[in-house]
Amino acid sequence: MPSGSFSDPPSTHNCSRDRRSYVNGEMIRGITNGDDAVLVGENFIGANDGVGAWAHKPGGHAALWSRLILHFWALEAERDVSITPDASNAPEPNPVAYLQTAYEQTLEATSGLNEWKGTTTACGALLHHVHEAAAAEPMLYVTNLGDSQVMVVRPRTQEIVYKSTEQWHWFDCPRQLGTNSPDTPKANAVMDKIMIKEGDVVLAMSDGVVDNLWEHEVVQNVHDSMQRLEYGRHSEPGGKTDKVEGGMPNVAKALVKAARNIAEDPYAESPFMERAVEEGLAMEGGES
Protein backbone atom coordinates (compact mmCIF):
# COMPACT_ATOMS: atom_id res chain seq x y z
CA MET A 1 0.00 0.00 0.00
CA PRO A 2 2.01 2.99 -1.16
CA SER A 3 0.97 6.28 0.33
CA GLY A 4 3.79 8.79 0.14
CA SER A 5 1.85 10.99 -2.26
CA PHE A 6 -1.87 10.49 -1.78
CA SER A 7 -2.76 12.82 -4.63
CA ASP A 8 -0.71 11.03 -7.30
CA PRO A 9 -2.39 8.23 -9.25
CA PRO A 10 -0.50 4.95 -9.65
CA SER A 11 1.69 5.46 -12.71
CA THR A 12 0.68 2.29 -14.54
CA HIS A 13 -3.06 2.85 -14.38
CA ASN A 14 -4.80 3.75 -17.63
CA CYS A 15 -1.72 2.89 -19.68
CA SER A 16 -1.53 0.18 -22.30
CA ARG A 17 0.85 -2.65 -21.43
CA ASP A 18 3.03 -1.98 -24.47
CA ARG A 19 3.96 1.41 -22.99
CA ARG A 20 5.26 -0.06 -19.75
CA SER A 21 8.95 0.37 -18.98
CA TYR A 22 11.44 -2.45 -19.34
CA VAL A 23 14.80 -3.26 -17.74
CA ASN A 24 17.12 -6.03 -18.91
CA GLY A 25 14.38 -7.18 -21.28
CA GLU A 26 11.84 -7.63 -18.47
CA MET A 27 8.70 -5.54 -18.03
CA ILE A 28 9.12 -3.69 -14.73
CA ARG A 29 6.82 -5.25 -12.17
CA GLY A 30 4.63 -3.37 -9.71
CA ILE A 31 3.13 0.10 -9.75
CA THR A 32 4.39 3.48 -8.60
CA ASN A 33 2.56 6.06 -6.53
CA GLY A 34 4.51 9.25 -5.97
CA ASP A 35 7.94 7.98 -4.89
CA ASP A 36 6.60 4.70 -3.51
CA ALA A 37 6.20 1.32 -5.20
CA VAL A 38 3.96 -1.64 -4.48
CA LEU A 39 3.80 -5.14 -5.93
CA VAL A 40 1.40 -8.04 -5.42
CA GLY A 41 2.32 -11.45 -6.83
CA GLU A 42 1.18 -15.01 -6.34
CA ASN A 43 3.58 -15.69 -3.47
CA PHE A 44 5.16 -12.30 -2.81
CA ILE A 45 3.99 -8.81 -1.84
CA GLY A 46 6.09 -5.75 -1.14
CA ALA A 47 5.93 -2.02 -0.46
CA ASN A 48 8.93 0.28 -0.88
CA ASP A 49 8.90 3.90 0.30
CA GLY A 50 11.07 6.12 -1.88
CA VAL A 51 12.57 9.13 -0.09
CA GLY A 52 10.89 12.15 -1.64
CA ALA A 53 13.72 14.60 -0.84
CA TRP A 54 15.61 13.28 -3.87
CA ALA A 55 13.13 15.08 -6.14
CA HIS A 56 14.88 18.34 -5.23
CA LYS A 57 18.38 17.11 -6.07
CA PRO A 58 20.03 16.90 -9.51
CA GLY A 59 19.59 13.44 -10.94
CA GLY A 60 17.27 12.42 -8.10
CA HIS A 61 14.69 9.73 -8.84
CA ALA A 62 13.57 7.92 -5.68
CA ALA A 63 10.53 6.50 -7.47
CA LEU A 64 12.80 4.62 -9.87
CA TRP A 65 14.87 3.25 -7.01
CA SER A 66 11.85 2.02 -5.05
CA ARG A 67 10.32 0.44 -8.14
CA LEU A 68 13.48 -1.25 -9.47
CA ILE A 69 14.44 -2.78 -6.13
CA LEU A 70 10.93 -4.20 -5.76
CA HIS A 71 11.01 -5.47 -9.36
CA PHE A 72 14.35 -7.24 -9.02
CA TRP A 73 13.36 -8.57 -5.58
CA ALA A 74 10.22 -10.16 -6.99
CA LEU A 75 12.17 -11.67 -9.89
CA GLU A 76 14.61 -13.33 -7.50
CA ALA A 77 11.72 -14.78 -5.49
CA GLU A 78 10.05 -16.09 -8.64
CA ARG A 79 13.22 -17.87 -9.70
CA ASP A 80 13.38 -19.79 -6.42
CA VAL A 81 11.33 -22.99 -6.76
CA SER A 82 11.33 -23.45 -2.99
CA ILE A 83 8.36 -21.10 -2.63
CA THR A 84 6.01 -23.42 -4.52
CA PRO A 85 3.69 -25.71 -2.51
CA ASP A 86 5.05 -28.91 -4.08
CA ALA A 87 8.73 -28.13 -3.49
CA SER A 88 9.02 -30.55 -0.56
CA ASN A 89 12.75 -31.14 -0.98
CA ALA A 90 13.74 -27.62 -1.97
CA PRO A 91 16.06 -25.55 0.23
CA GLU A 92 14.65 -22.88 2.49
CA PRO A 93 14.07 -19.53 0.73
CA ASN A 94 16.39 -16.64 1.53
CA PRO A 95 14.53 -13.36 0.91
CA VAL A 96 17.33 -11.26 2.42
CA ALA A 97 19.71 -12.66 -0.20
CA TYR A 98 17.09 -11.94 -2.87
CA LEU A 99 16.90 -8.33 -1.64
CA GLN A 100 20.69 -8.04 -1.63
CA THR A 101 20.78 -9.18 -5.26
CA ALA A 102 17.98 -6.75 -6.13
CA TYR A 103 19.91 -3.92 -4.47
CA GLU A 104 23.07 -4.74 -6.43
CA GLN A 105 21.13 -4.97 -9.69
CA THR A 106 19.50 -1.60 -9.02
CA LEU A 107 22.91 -0.06 -8.34
CA GLU A 108 24.07 -1.34 -11.71
CA ALA A 109 20.93 -0.23 -13.56
CA THR A 110 21.14 3.33 -12.17
CA SER A 111 24.86 3.92 -12.73
CA GLY A 112 27.00 4.89 -15.71
CA LEU A 113 25.17 6.60 -18.55
CA ASN A 114 21.85 5.88 -16.82
CA GLU A 115 22.84 7.40 -13.49
CA TRP A 116 19.92 8.18 -11.20
CA LYS A 117 20.15 8.91 -7.50
CA GLY A 118 17.70 7.90 -4.82
CA THR A 119 16.99 5.87 -1.71
CA THR A 120 14.12 3.71 -0.54
CA THR A 121 12.98 1.59 2.36
CA ALA A 122 11.98 -2.00 1.60
CA CYS A 123 9.53 -4.45 3.10
CA GLY A 124 8.15 -7.66 1.67
CA ALA A 125 6.45 -10.93 2.55
CA LEU A 126 7.15 -14.23 0.80
CA LEU A 127 4.81 -17.21 1.17
CA HIS A 128 6.55 -20.56 1.61
CA HIS A 129 5.14 -24.00 2.45
CA VAL A 130 6.68 -26.08 5.20
CA HIS A 131 6.02 -29.79 4.77
CA GLU A 132 5.07 -31.48 8.03
CA ALA A 133 3.81 -35.06 7.87
CA ALA A 134 1.48 -35.20 4.86
CA ALA A 135 0.45 -31.55 4.95
CA ALA A 136 2.03 -28.38 3.57
CA GLU A 137 1.75 -25.63 6.19
CA PRO A 138 1.92 -21.98 5.04
CA MET A 139 4.80 -19.96 6.45
CA LEU A 140 5.42 -16.29 5.79
CA TYR A 141 8.97 -14.96 5.40
CA VAL A 142 8.89 -11.25 6.22
CA THR A 143 11.85 -9.01 5.37
CA ASN A 144 12.15 -5.38 6.40
CA LEU A 145 14.65 -2.56 6.10
CA GLY A 146 13.42 0.87 7.19
CA ASP A 147 10.12 2.17 8.52
CA SER A 148 7.64 0.45 6.22
CA GLN A 149 5.82 -2.45 7.84
CA VAL A 150 4.37 -5.89 7.21
CA MET A 151 1.44 -6.78 9.45
CA VAL A 152 -0.56 -10.01 9.62
CA VAL A 153 -4.15 -9.49 10.79
CA ARG A 154 -6.58 -12.27 11.75
CA PRO A 155 -9.96 -10.65 11.06
CA ARG A 156 -12.14 -13.35 12.65
CA THR A 157 -10.53 -12.74 16.06
CA GLN A 158 -9.60 -9.09 15.41
CA GLU A 159 -6.00 -9.59 16.44
CA ILE A 160 -2.54 -8.82 15.13
CA VAL A 161 -0.68 -12.08 14.56
CA TYR A 162 2.55 -10.33 13.65
CA LYS A 163 4.03 -6.96 12.78
CA SER A 164 7.56 -6.15 11.66
CA THR A 165 9.74 -3.74 13.62
CA GLU A 166 10.56 -0.38 12.08
CA GLN A 167 14.20 0.71 11.76
CA TRP A 168 15.54 4.27 12.03
CA HIS A 169 18.90 6.01 12.18
CA TRP A 170 17.09 8.77 14.04
CA PHE A 171 13.57 10.25 14.11
CA ASP A 172 12.10 10.54 10.61
CA CYS A 173 15.27 9.12 9.05
CA PRO A 174 14.73 5.40 8.44
CA ARG A 175 17.25 2.88 7.25
CA GLN A 176 17.22 2.95 3.46
CA LEU A 177 18.87 1.52 0.39
CA GLY A 178 20.52 3.65 -2.25
CA THR A 179 22.71 6.65 -2.93
CA ASN A 180 25.08 7.61 -0.09
CA SER A 181 23.31 5.30 2.36
CA PRO A 182 25.48 3.00 4.51
CA ASP A 183 22.66 0.46 4.77
CA THR A 184 22.61 -2.82 2.84
CA PRO A 185 20.21 -5.77 2.96
CA LYS A 186 22.97 -8.17 3.96
CA ALA A 187 24.02 -6.05 6.92
CA ASN A 188 20.77 -4.42 8.04
CA ALA A 189 17.64 -6.19 6.76
CA VAL A 190 15.72 -8.25 9.32
CA MET A 191 13.83 -11.42 8.40
CA ASP A 192 11.16 -13.16 10.49
CA LYS A 193 9.25 -16.40 9.89
CA ILE A 194 5.56 -16.61 10.86
CA MET A 195 3.14 -19.52 10.60
CA ILE A 196 -0.15 -18.24 9.21
CA LYS A 197 -3.65 -19.64 8.79
CA GLU A 198 -6.29 -19.53 6.12
CA GLY A 199 -8.18 -16.26 6.37
CA ASP A 200 -5.24 -14.22 7.68
CA VAL A 201 -4.68 -10.92 5.87
CA VAL A 202 -1.09 -9.91 5.09
CA LEU A 203 -0.50 -6.16 4.76
CA ALA A 204 2.63 -4.51 3.33
CA MET A 205 2.43 -0.80 4.20
CA SER A 206 4.59 2.27 3.83
CA ASP A 207 4.88 4.77 6.68
CA GLY A 208 2.07 6.78 5.11
CA VAL A 209 -0.27 4.18 6.60
CA VAL A 210 1.49 3.24 9.84
CA ASP A 211 2.26 6.89 10.71
CA ASN A 212 -1.40 7.85 10.39
CA LEU A 213 -3.38 4.90 11.74
CA TRP A 214 -3.08 3.29 15.15
CA GLU A 215 -2.79 -0.49 15.18
CA HIS A 216 -6.33 -1.00 16.50
CA GLU A 217 -7.63 1.21 13.69
CA VAL A 218 -5.85 -0.94 11.10
CA VAL A 219 -7.33 -4.10 12.62
CA GLN A 220 -10.84 -2.64 12.79
CA ASN A 221 -10.63 -1.32 9.25
CA VAL A 222 -9.52 -4.70 7.86
CA HIS A 223 -12.14 -6.54 9.92
CA ASP A 224 -14.93 -4.28 8.66
CA SER A 225 -13.77 -4.61 5.05
CA MET A 226 -13.60 -8.39 5.31
CA GLN A 227 -17.09 -8.44 6.82
CA ARG A 228 -18.40 -6.49 3.83
CA LEU A 229 -16.56 -8.89 1.53
CA GLU A 230 -18.09 -11.93 3.23
CA TYR A 231 -21.55 -10.35 3.14
CA GLY A 232 -21.20 -9.74 -0.59
CA ARG A 233 -20.02 -13.31 -1.18
CA HIS A 234 -22.98 -14.85 0.61
CA SER A 235 -25.55 -12.44 -0.79
CA GLU A 236 -24.74 -13.15 -4.45
CA PRO A 237 -26.21 -16.16 -6.29
CA GLY A 238 -23.62 -18.92 -6.44
CA GLY A 239 -21.59 -17.34 -3.67
CA LYS A 240 -18.89 -15.90 -5.91
CA THR A 241 -18.89 -13.11 -8.46
CA ASP A 242 -16.35 -10.98 -10.29
CA LYS A 243 -17.23 -8.17 -7.90
CA VAL A 244 -16.41 -10.30 -4.88
CA GLU A 245 -13.21 -11.65 -6.41
CA GLY A 246 -11.97 -8.07 -6.63
CA GLY A 247 -12.61 -7.61 -2.93
CA MET A 248 -9.07 -7.67 -1.56
CA PRO A 249 -8.00 -4.57 -3.52
CA ASN A 250 -11.02 -2.88 -1.99
CA VAL A 251 -9.76 -3.86 1.48
CA ALA A 252 -6.48 -2.11 0.67
CA LYS A 253 -8.24 0.95 -0.76
CA ALA A 254 -10.36 1.34 2.37
CA LEU A 255 -7.24 1.26 4.54
CA VAL A 256 -5.42 3.83 2.41
CA LYS A 257 -8.51 6.07 2.42
CA ALA A 258 -8.61 6.00 6.22
CA ALA A 259 -4.89 6.88 6.38
CA ARG A 260 -5.39 9.68 3.89
CA ASN A 261 -8.19 11.20 5.99
CA ILE A 262 -5.82 11.48 8.94
CA ALA A 263 -2.90 12.72 6.82
CA GLU A 264 -5.02 15.60 5.54
CA ASP A 265 -6.43 16.56 8.95
CA PRO A 266 -4.17 19.16 10.63
CA TYR A 267 -5.80 18.53 14.02
CA ALA A 268 -5.85 14.73 14.02
CA GLU A 269 -3.98 12.65 16.56
CA SER A 270 -1.66 10.15 14.92
CA PRO A 271 1.22 7.78 15.71
CA PHE A 272 3.54 10.16 13.85
CA MET A 273 2.44 13.06 16.04
CA GLU A 274 3.02 10.97 19.15
CA ARG A 275 6.56 10.06 18.07
CA ALA A 276 7.30 13.71 17.24
CA VAL A 277 6.15 14.84 20.68
CA GLU A 278 8.33 12.17 22.28
CA GLU A 279 11.27 13.73 20.37
CA GLY A 280 10.40 17.14 21.80
CA LEU A 281 8.84 18.48 18.60
CA ALA A 282 5.61 20.49 18.63
CA MET A 283 3.45 18.83 15.99
CA GLU A 284 -0.20 18.14 15.30
CA GLY A 285 -2.05 16.13 12.67
CA GLY A 286 -1.07 13.25 10.49
CA GLU A 287 1.96 12.63 8.29
CA SER A 288 1.48 13.40 4.60
Side-chain angles (χ1 to χ4, degrees), residues 21-248:
S21 299
Y22 286 75
V23 60
N24 298 339
E26 293 273 358
M27 183 182 292
I28 299 179
R29 286 158 168 71
I31 61 174
T32 302
N33 186 28
D35 293 309
D36 299 353
V38 65
L39 183 147
V40 179
E42 183 177 352
N43 295 298
F44 177 79
I45 65 170
N48 289 359
D49 184 359
V51 177
W54 285 103
H56 306 291
K57 298 181 182 295
H61 201 331
L64 181 63
W65 267 85
S66 64
R67 181 76 170 275
L68 284 180
I69 285 183
L70 197 54
H71 163 78
F72 288 127
W73 197 6
L75 279 183
E76 289 301 304
E78 290 174 10
R79 292 188 180 111
D80 192 335
V81 297
S82 67
I83 66 173
T84 61
D86 58 350
S88 56
N89 297 318
E92 187 175 37
N94 190 342
V96 173
Y98 307 156
L99 181 57
Q100 178 68 34
T101 300
Y103 167 64
E104 293 168 0
Q105 290 175 324
T106 302
L107 281 172
E108 182 178 357
T110 56
S111 61
L113 296 177
N114 298 316
E115 183 176 9
W116 292 101
K117 301 175 182 178
T119 50
T120 181
T121 67
C123 76
L126 178 66
L127 180 63
H128 176 59
H129 290 82
V130 179
H131 288 259
E132 297 182 355
E137 299 294 334
M139 178 176 286
L140 201 64
Y141 285 64
V142 174
T143 306
N144 185 58
L145 189 149
D147 62 351
S148 295
Q149 188 176 85
V150 170
M151 181 183 293
V152 180
V153 176
R154 189 159 291 161
R156 61 181 176 273
T157 57
Q158 298 189 51
E159 64 178 315
I160 295 174
V161 177
Y162 166 84
K163 65 172 183 173
S164 59
T165 301
E166 299 154 295
Q167 300 174 317
W168 295 282
H169 289 289
W170 55 82
F171 174 70
D172 210 25
C173 180
R175 289 196 180 277
Q176 53 201 274
L177 301 174
T179 310
N180 299 332
S181 174
D183 304 321
T184 66
K186 184 177 180 180
N188 305 110
V190 175
M191 193 270 288
D192 295 320
K193 295 185 287 186
I194 310 98
M195 297 297 294
I196 59 176
K197 298 180 179 180
E198 183 177 356
D200 289 349
V201 176
V202 181
L203 307 170
M205 307 174 288
S206 74
D207 65 347
V209 175
V210 298
D211 280 351
N212 288 303
L213 295 179
W214 304 97
E215 291 176 8
H216 72 272
E217 293 176 319
V218 173
V219 173
Q220 189 65 53
N221 191 288
V222 171
H223 172 265
D224 292 347
S225 293
M226 293 301 293
Q227 287 287 96
R228 289 192 293 270
L229 176 59
E230 287 299 313
Y231 176 79
R233 177 177 291 119
H234 294 303
S235 63
E236 296 287 344
K240 194 171 186 180
T241 67
D242 291 340
K243 183 177 180 180
V244 173
E245 288 176 352
M248 288 311 296

